[in-house]
Amino acid sequence: MKEVNARLEQWTKSATHKGQFIIWGDINEDTQGRWMDGTRIHTSGIKDREVKEGDIVETRNSVYLLGQQRVDQSPDEDKDDEDFLLRYSDFFIV
């Protein structure tokens, strides 16, 4: 496995399609300099599996350490994530 590029805090797992999921989270310590700490991002597709705090997940171009999982997401935030997936689902790698 490659070296960890960043840590995701307050993350949630969202199913996409074809046995994959993405993770929404607040990025921290991005060693590649793509994002400022605290920026909310989502990963590219990850093969479906159980994940928990402290796990490392690898996407096509990045490796993330999963920090604290978000437990109290409001319905409006869920809807925003779902709307984004519907609008941009063609861009996910399958």
Side-chain angles (χ1 to χ4, degrees), residues 1-90:
M1 181 173 285
K2 303 173 191 170
E3 185 176 322
V4 171
N5 302 118
R7 186 181 76 251
L8 293 175
E9 295 290 344
Q10 300 301 308
W11 58 271
T12 58
K13 179 180 170 181
S14 296
T16 57
H17 55 81
K18 297 184 182 179
Q20 290 192 349
F21 67 95
I22 62 170
I23 295 177
W24 292 88
D26 300 333
I27 197 163
N28 290 279
E29 301 171 4
D30 179 17
T31 62
Q32 296 179 336
R34 300 166 295 181
W35 308 101
M36 292 178 53
D37 281 357
T39 302
R40 184 141 178 92
I41 61 119
H42 69 81
T43 67
S44 56
I46 302 167
K47 186 176 179 179
D48 197 20
R49 66 182 176 98
E50 291 297 319
V51 292
K52 64 186 181 315
E53 293 176 4
D55 282 354
I56 294 175
V57 295
E58 186 171 354
T59 66
R60 186 176 200 176
N61 297 309
S62 300
V63 180
Y64 299 99
L65 171 64
L66 298 181
Q68 185 175 25
Q69 185 173 9
R70 187 176 198 150
V71 293
D72 60 346
Q73 189 169 12
S74 76
D76 288 339
E77 289 169 328
D78 282 337
K79 184 173 181 346
D80 290 344
D81 291 353
E82 289 170 13
D83 288 347
F84 181 89
L85 284 174
L86 290 173
R87 288 194 310 270
Y88 297 100
S89 61
D90 292 340

